Amino acid sequence: MSRVTSLFTFSDNVNIPYYEYPSTVKTDSVMLCIHGLTSEMEHLFTFAEKLSGKLDVDVHLPILRGYTSFETGIGDIPEKNKYDSDLIEMINELAHEYKHIYLMGHSIGAANVMRYFLEEPHYKVRSFFLVSPFLHPSLKVSREQKGDNGGDDFYEVFYTRAVILRMLDRFNIQLFSQKPVVKIPMREIPYEPDSATVPYTLSYRLITSRFITKPDILKNPGLSRFNVFIGNNDEVIDGLKFKDIWEKNTGGKVTLLEKEDHNRVLYSTLFLKGIEQTIKS
C-alpha cells in the first residue's frame, strides 16, 4: 500500500510528522497507532501495510512531539502530560472523518492509550489494543536488559537524576523537569533502517507523560475490554508475569503469541487475526 506523508498541527501550532496507510477501498474506519519509546517506525509500517491491505480500515501513524528535535538531540514537551491533550486532539480530528476509531499503543505507547481511556470520556473510540505493553517501570514485569556494543547509541537511564526529579515532582516542583533522564538511539529518518542513528535524550516530563501514573490504576474492571497481545519471546516484557498481573487486576485477557518478540508481534498472523476478529465483531 502507498504511504501518505503529511503533518498534524496541534492547537499550539506545533507540527508533527503524520503517516497514513489508506485502505484499498474507501472506509469509515481508522486505526490510530501510538509508537513506543523510540520512533523507529519500520515495524509499525509493516503492520500498517498488512492491516490496511487485509481489512477495510485506514491506519494512521503519528510521530509524537518531542521526537523530532534532531537539531538539539533533546526530546522534550512543553509541559507535563501534554501527550494526553495531544491524543485527544488527534482523536477529535479523526472523529470528524471516521465513524469507527480504533486506538492501539505499542510498548510505552500502550500506556498513553490507557491514560486516554482512564482520564477522558472514550465514547469516540470503538476498541482499544495494547501490544507489547510497557506501562510503568515499577510494575516489575520488565526483563533485565543487557547490552554489549558499548557505543553512544546504546540505551541509558540516568537513575540518580530520575530519582531526584521524581521526589521534586511529588512536591509539584517542575523547575527541572526538562532535564534528560533517558538516552536512546534515534534515527534521523524514523522509518529507514539504514538511516544515521544519533544519541537522543528524553526529558523527565516527557518520559513520565508516557507511562501510566501508577500501577494501582490497573485495578479497574473497565480495562477488561482492552485487547492485549504480547509475544512469548518479548525481550522487554515478561509476558507470563504481565498476563498474571493484568488478568488478576482487570479481569481481562492477555493473548500470548508463540515465538514473537517485542516488535515482530506487530505483524504476526495471529495478532492480525485478533484485530480482524475484533473489528468485524
Side-chain angles (χ1 to χ4, degrees):
M1 302 301 297
S2 60
R3 181 174 66 239
V4 178
T5 302
S6 60
L7 294 174
F8 187 94
T9 303
F10 292 111
S11 57
D12 59 358
N13 294 319
V14 169
N15 295 312
I16 59 169
Y18 195 90
Y19 303 101
E20 303 174 27
Y21 281 79
S23 170
T24 53
V25 298
K26 185 172 176 59
T27 180
D28 62 359
S29 299
V30 63
M31 174 78 78
L32 177 64
C33 306
I34 307 302
H35 66 74
L37 182 65
T38 72
S39 61
E40 296 176 358
M41 302 293 284
E42 77 271 16
H43 295 287
L44 279 170
F45 280 179
T46 300
F47 159 77
E49 289 174 355
K50 289 181 177 292
L51 187 68
S52 59
K54 183 181 180 67
L55 300 177
D56 296 340
V57 58
D58 294 344
V59 182
H60 288 204
L61 304 166
I63 294 184
L64 302 183
R65 76 163 81 210
Y67 283 86
T68 55
S69 302
F70 293 108
E71 69 278 4
T72 63
I74 298 173
D76 190 25
I77 55 178
E79 60 190 56
K80 185 179 177 182
N81 302 335
K82 188 61 177 173
Y83 289 132
D84 298 340
S85 58
D86 283 358
L87 189 48
I88 290 169
E89 286 194 39
M90 286 187 280
I91 290 173
N92 287 346
E93 184 68 23
L94 291 174
H96 292 301
E97 183 179 353
Y98 295 94
K99 181 179 179 181
H100 303 299
I101 300 174
Y102 302 93
L103 183 56
M104 186 187 93
H106 175 243
S107 193
I108 63 173
N112 288 112
V113 168
M114 282 187 61
R115 289 171 67 109
Y116 175 84
F117 178 87
L118 292 167
E119 299 173 14
E120 183 70 14
H122 43 267
Y123 61 90
K124 293 181 180 179
V125 177
R126 183 175 180 183
S127 296
F128 297 83
F129 298 87
L130 307 183
V131 190
S132 309
F134 182 24
L135 304 180
H136 197 281
S138 59
L139 199 56
K140 301 188 184 306
V141 294
S142 304
R143 297 189 189 276
E144 182 180 355
Q145 300 297 302
K146 296 180 179 180
D148 55 11
N149 68 356
D152 289 339
D153 62 342
F154 195 56
Y155 294 88
E156 182 180 357
V157 178
F158 310 143
Y159 285 105
T160 301
R161 181 182 295 170
V163 170
I164 293 172
L165 292 177
R166 184 182 179 188
M167 292 176 60
L168 293 174
D169 193 19
R170 288 178 176 176
F171 292 97
N172 200 31
I173 300 174
Q174 308 295 326
L175 184 61
F176 304 104
S177 63
Q178 80 282 3
K179 297 292 186 181
V181 293
V182 175
K183 182 171 74 175
I184 61 173
M186 184 71 78
R187 292 183 187 143
E188 292 181 342
I189 305 175
Y191 53 83
E192 178 53 64
D194 296 327
S195 174
T197 300
V198 296
Y200 196 79
T201 59
L202 303 176
S203 72
Y204 176 82
R205 61 188 172 195
L206 184 153
I207 199 71
T208 55
S209 297
R210 301 222 58 195
F211 290 124
I212 57 175
T213 54
K214 53 185 178 180
D216 285 352
I217 67 174
L218 292 183
K219 296 177 180 178
N220 185 319
L223 297 175
S224 62
R225 64 177 286 195
F226 276 56
N227 303 278
V228 188
F229 297 85
I230 305 178
N232 262 341
N233 291 340
D234 192 308
E235 62 275 29
V236 179
I237 305 298
D238 187 315
L240 288 175
K241 286 183 179 179
F242 185 91
K243 178 180 174 71
D244 181 61
I245 291 173
W246 180 270
E247 293 184 349
K248 283 182 178 178
N249 281 279
T250 71
K253 177 185 176 183
V254 174
T255 300
L256 294 177
L257 300 178
E258 198 70 32
K259 300 180 181 179
E260 302 297 347
D261 64 21
H262 193 70
N263 290 322
R264 295 183 188 278
V265 66
L266 286 164
Y267 39 88
S268 69
T269 300
L270 289 177
F271 173 53
L272 293 172
K273 185 177 180 180
I275 291 181
E276 181 178 13
Q277 289 173 343
T278 299
I279 289 179
K280 290 185 174 181
S281 63

